[in-house]
Amino acid sequence: MRVWVIFSIVAATVVNAAYSSDIVQYWVDQSAILVNGTIIGGLQSPPSGWYEAIVQGAIYLAATKSSHEPLAVQQLAVSHAAHDTLLWTFHGTRLHATVNSKLRFILPAIGLDATSASGLRAIEIGRQAAKKVIIARADDGINNFVDYIPKPASPAEFIRLFGGVGGVTRFKAPAPPAPESAEFEAALDFDKAQGMRNSTIRKAYDTETAYFGRESSPITWNRLAHVVVGNSLATDVKASAKFYAQLNYALANAAITVTDLTWNPLLLPTPNHQEYLSTHATFGGDRINVTLSSNVTIDGVGVVTRQITSLAGAVKENGDSRVFGGIHFQYASDQGGKTEDWVGRETLARFESHWDDF
Ligand SMILES: *[C@@H]1O[C@H](CO)[C@@H](O)[C@H](O)[C@H]1NC(C)=O
Ligand SMILES: *[C@@H]1O[C@H](CO)[C@@H](O)[C@H](O)[C@H]1NC(C)=O
Ligand SMILES: *[C@@H]1O[C@H](CO)[C@@H](O)[C@H](O)[C@H]1NC(C)=O
Ligand SMILES: *[C@@H]1O[C@H](CO)[C@@H](O)[C@H](O)[C@H]1NC(C)=O
């Protein structure tokens, strides 16, 4: 009897000795590192919104299925969901060892014996969650070959949106100014003057903004989310998983829709960018006060650190950074912000009832 009691206490202690930080944030970070251009072979615009939404959808599913379990079981379940979806999103064997190393690294911190009954249960929950999302996304359009020719994209060429918000045609933006119109010429002059490498009129602060915003936006927004949320959801895996699933569905949907159907790529053959105004709703308010550093350092410009006191301000600067960087027209940035705001609100509005429309 006494032995049994001690054994139970030890077992309980092992189960409770979980990873002390936020496991969902751990996987958000690993995902960002994995998708980074250098690692997947120098892709300029990696599909960072798409794969992150898939990973976070599976994590949230695993979190809901394991929410009645001890913390370590939840952590192991979401870790396997993350691991399996990451392997799938990278579609191949090249990154297997790297993805495996991310899981191997975190297992001792979670501290749950993978061969115990609860360990096996956790692994099964994670695997099943990943499998469900992977099967659902297998025909989402990402693998379709679309030759790059300068014409407006057809709706069939868009990746399916996340969370049951409908098709991309719902989110149609107004046409850009016609080529050679006065409005277009003015925009062109402005953007050339601001975005030129050796511009003499761009303010030093704006040049810094361009470098600050150089990173793939979903990675930046997730990092901002980390500094705002901190460790506050570390023991509530389901709440953390829900938060990051909402954020990343919205980021992915915004990224997919902003390449609008009326766009004339001859004039603007650059990729879309994301600036997700509805982070207001996700974060629960506009006023924040956090320090955020850039991660991408190019042209000998070091880490740029900014104090972010308003989400709306951060969204605006994120859009402007592409103008100052000579990548986008101001009107594209402004319209992009509006469309993304709309898509983000729709994604959040439907999340409770449609989050598992993967
Ligand atoms: C900037 O550089 C380009 C060549 O790259 C040159 O044609 C142009 O005159 C320069 N502009 C200024 C304002 O120095
Ligand atoms: C934000 O925080 C910094 C450093 O903690 C502080 O100096 C600054 O006054 C704060 N700004 C606002 C608007 O609260
Ligand atoms: C960027 O992020 C990676 C991964 O978190 C980290 O190893 C690296 O030190 C960061 N670089 C900068 C310049 O902050
Ligand atoms: C991603 O790659 C860029 C370019 O090499 C690098 O500056 C940045 O630190 C990397 N970010 C992460 C999160 O590893």
Side-chain angles (χ1 to χ4, degrees):
M1 193 55 166
R2 164 170 273 175
V3 171
W4 183 84
V5 170
I6 291 170
F7 179 77
S8 308
I9 291 167
V10 170
T13 310
V14 168
V15 165
N16 290 331
Y19 177 54
S20 59
S21 297
D22 188 321
I23 191 71
V24 182
Q25 284 179 351
Y26 171 79
W27 284 107
V28 172
D29 285 345
Q30 303 320 306
S31 306
I33 293 168
L34 280 163
V35 83
N36 203 355
T38 49
I39 295 171
I40 62 172
L43 266 188
Q44 266 299 313
S45 294
S48 44
W50 171 81
Y51 84 93
E52 192 67 273
I54 290 174
V55 174
Q56 294 307 319
I59 284 182
Y60 186 46
L61 178 57
T64 61
K65 297 281 186 199
S66 61
S67 59
H68 55 285
E69 301 269 3
L71 184 56
V73 176
Q74 298 177 44
Q75 292 178 337
L76 189 61
V78 302
S79 294
H80 277 272
H83 169 272
D84 289 14
T85 42
L86 280 170
L87 278 190
W88 182 75
T89 48
F90 287 106
H91 289 289
T93 54
R94 214 175 118 238
L95 278 177
H96 273 215
T98 313
V99 177
N100 285 345
S101 74
K102 310 287 183 193
L103 180 61
R104 200 174 289 117
F105 175 82
I106 202 68
L107 289 178
I110 295 175
L112 181 63
D113 179 359
T115 62
S116 66
S118 52
L120 292 170
R121 204 162 59 240
I123 293 170
E124 183 62 11
I125 291 171
R127 284 190 179 152
Q128 289 304 329
K131 188 172 151 187
K132 180 149 195 216
V133 179
I134 289 166
I135 289 173
R137 294 306 299 188
D139 68 345
D140 73 357
I142 189 107
N143 293 328
N144 295 353
F145 175 77
V146 179
D147 207 3
Y148 186 78
I149 39 173
K151 66 160 182 59
S154 89
E157 291 169 348
F158 284 82
I159 300 168
R160 192 174 73 240
L161 299 176
F162 290 83
V165 295
V168 284
T169 45
R170 279 192 63 206
F171 302 101
K172 217 166 174 169
E180 290 170 33
S181 67
E183 197 193 342
F184 175 82
E185 294 298 335
L188 185 63
D189 287 347
F190 175 82
D191 289 300
K192 267 170 74 179
Q194 286 291 339
M196 196 179 2
R197 186 166 254 275
N198 54 3
S199 169
T200 52
I201 64 159
R202 187 176 53 235
K203 298 190 185 86
Y205 180 87
D206 295 338
T207 302
E208 196 187 80
T209 299
Y211 285 110
F212 183 74
R214 174 62 187 79
E215 193 171 28
S216 174
S217 294
I219 296 177
T220 310
W221 289 119
N222 276 293
R223 201 164 60 252
L224 176 63
H226 284 13
V227 290
V228 174
V229 172
N231 221 25
S232 63
L233 299 177
T235 56
D236 193 342
V237 175
K238 191 176 163 191
S240 183
K242 182 177 181 182
F243 171 77
Y244 284 100
Q246 288 178 324
L247 177 62
N248 285 288
Y249 276 22
L251 289 168
N253 285 346
I256 294 165
T257 51
V258 155
T259 309
D260 75 78
L261 305 177
T262 56
W263 206 246
N264 183 347
L266 248 186
L267 306 173
L268 193 65
T270 44
N272 60 74
H273 64 287
Q274 307 84 7
E275 54 214 11
Y276 170 42
L277 199 62
S278 285
T279 40
H280 287 230
T282 312
F283 288 124
D286 180 57
R287 309 312 303 180
I288 52 172
N289 188 11
V290 294
T291 306
L292 189 70
S293 295
S294 63
N295 190 279
V296 172
T297 55
I298 48 172
D299 288 350
V301 177
V303 171
V304 178
T305 299
R306 289 268 166 100
Q307 194 71 18
I308 313 273
T309 52
S310 150
L311 286 172
V315 167
K316 175 80 171 77
E317 280 203 351
N318 186 239
D320 288 351
S321 73
R322 307 303 160 105
V323 176
F324 299 131
I327 298 173
H328 279 307
F329 283 65
Q330 185 73 57
Y331 58 73
S333 172
D334 294 344
Q335 184 53 51
K338 286 182 198 146
T339 305
E340 285 152 355
D341 181 34
W342 179 16
V343 175
R345 284 177 201 285
E346 288 291 309
T347 306
L348 278 186
R350 280 163 202 240
F351 190 85
E352 289 297 341
S353 51
H354 289 276
W355 66 270
D356 57 353
D357 286 359
F358 298 115

